[in-house]
Amino acid sequence: MQTPITTRSLFGPGPTNPYAEATMALGYPLLGHLDPLFIERIDRTCDGLREVWGTQNARTLPLSATGSAGMEAAFVNMVEPGDVVVIAVNGLFGERMCDVAGRCGAAVVRVDHEYGQPIDPQRVADAHPNPKIIAAVHAETSTGVLSDIAALGALKGDALLLVDAVTSIGGVELRADDWGIDIGYAGTQKCLGVAPGLAPFTVSDRAFDRRVENPRSWYLDLGMLGGYVGAASGAKRTYHHTAPVAMIASLEAALDRILGEGLENVWARHAAAGTALRDGLQERGFELFAAEGHRLPSLTTVKVPGDVDSAAVRSFLLEKYSMEIGAGVGVYADSVWRIGLMGPNATDGIAEFILSALQDAVTATR
């Protein structure tokens, strides 16, 4: 049995529609995960990931799981029971960091911020005199807020800086080495323009030297993964698991597409599309949710007008336009929409399409 094939315009918080090159690569003939040609492919993919992360870290690789596993890998490899971990919380994914770190036995120090606001780097840095880790979300997917990670990195001291870049990598300026990021994780399904299924990950030598020697997770053990891909070179590899070879081919193709356009040009394209969408929303009388000056180009959060049924609008868009936008999360589930312009969808033309369709939906459902 097969489900009918339907094309959706994915303008929610992710996944986004993939780059055409990424989709085509999924149809390449499969290679074995130890085939010399696949080893060359994974090496090229890791090189591309270093460019989009802005790092020289040898251990930069696509984990064989989604971005949430990237979060798990970051904490399970770095946190021993009792380690102090300071976590900036300004949305759902900061909350989730606290949960994951706590499950690893961390002494979690939360630094709470109002949802819709960026993190305060000084307040986060001042929360504890000597933490092992300071963690923050660069682009908070739940609120559409972009925070200043460079400023936090300048204040980290001896702590390891752990950063969620799921909704920023490949679409927003990201410079891991310059900003002092020691451990970073992301996902493929947003600005990188690839289907969900891989977690681009990077870890500095400084952090790797301070890792947990025998983490609770065998599958996500960076010591073992480093010998399989990322830190290894040539044909001599330590077998760890069967890599998702088709997904890695797709990621390689998307990275080639992005770097061929030019990474800074891609950032500028996302910025221009985000500005066009935000300006158009405000011109039509909508109020934005994220704090001015800290709005994420790739994901715009907009307040649902008081006389509008959020779910009805989203259903109308899905049925008439085959268009997906996202609801808010938590207490904002019915009062905020999340609209993503990521990867190939980050264009002024698509921003105009969304504005026209949204106005139609609001008028029809009022």
Side-chain angles (χ1 to χ4, degrees), residues 210-292:
R210 295 165 67 175
R211 75 191 188 282
V212 178
E213 288 293 335
N214 291 295
R216 292 172 178 80
S217 174
W218 178 91
Y219 186 66
L220 298 174
D221 183 338
L222 292 176
M224 300 174 80
L225 289 168
Y228 176 61
V229 66
S233 61
K236 189 175 181 180
R237 307 284 170 134
T238 303
Y239 169 72
H240 183 261
H241 69 281
T242 301
V245 292
M247 279 298 302
I248 290 169
S250 183
L251 175 57
E252 179 197 28
L255 290 168
D256 284 347
R257 160 69 178 78
I258 290 167
L259 297 174
E261 181 179 348
L263 189 54
E264 293 193 1
N265 293 332
V266 174
W267 294 344
R269 174 165 57 78
H270 279 77
T275 297
L277 178 61
R278 292 193 303 271
D279 288 352
L281 287 166
Q282 290 177 305
E283 288 167 3
R284 288 162 174 79
F286 293 99
E287 185 180 353
L288 302 181
F289 178 75
E292 187 173 358

Side-chain angles (χ1 to χ4, degrees), residues 42 45-47 49-51 53 55-62 200-203 229-231:
I42 190 67
T45 302
C46 292
D47 287 342
L49 287 177
R50 289 184 189 93
E51 291 198 50
W53 270 111
T55 186
Q56 297 297 315
N57 291 339
R59 295 174 184 85
T60 301
L61 66 154
F201 194 93
T202 191
V203 57
V229 66

Side-chain angles (χ1 to χ4, degrees), residues 6-39:
T6 301
T7 300
R8 297 288 196 204
S9 294
L10 299 177
F11 305 144
T16 189
N17 299 105
Y19 285 111
E21 294 86 346
T23 300
M24 290 176 61
L26 288 171
Y28 290 172
L30 284 184
L31 298 173
H33 64 285
L34 297 176
D35 188 306
L37 293 177
F38 176 71
I39 298 300

Side-chain angles (χ1 to χ4, degrees), residues 157-223:
D158 189 52
L160 299 173
L161 179 58
L162 189 160
V163 172
D164 175 322
V166 170
T167 310
S168 56
I169 193 169
V172 179
E173 182 179 12
L174 177 61
R175 303 185 187 276
D177 288 354
D178 290 347
W179 296 354
I181 297 172
D182 293 290
I183 310 114
Y185 62 87
T188 49
Q189 73 274 18
K190 304 205 180 191
C191 299
L192 290 177
V194 180
L198 295 174
F201 194 93
T202 191
V203 57
S204 68
D205 288 344
R206 174 175 179 263
F208 190 75
D209 289 343
R210 295 165 67 175
R211 75 191 188 282
V212 178
E213 288 293 335
N214 291 295
R216 292 172 178 80
S217 174
W218 178 91
Y219 186 66
L220 298 174
D221 183 338
L222 292 176

Side-chain angles (χ1 to χ4, degrees), residues 286-287 302-310 313 333-337:
F286 293 99
E287 185 180 353
V302 55
K303 295 181 180 180
V304 179
D307 60 344
V308 170
D309 183 326
S310 172
V313 166
D334 298 323
S335 59
V336 169
W337 289 314

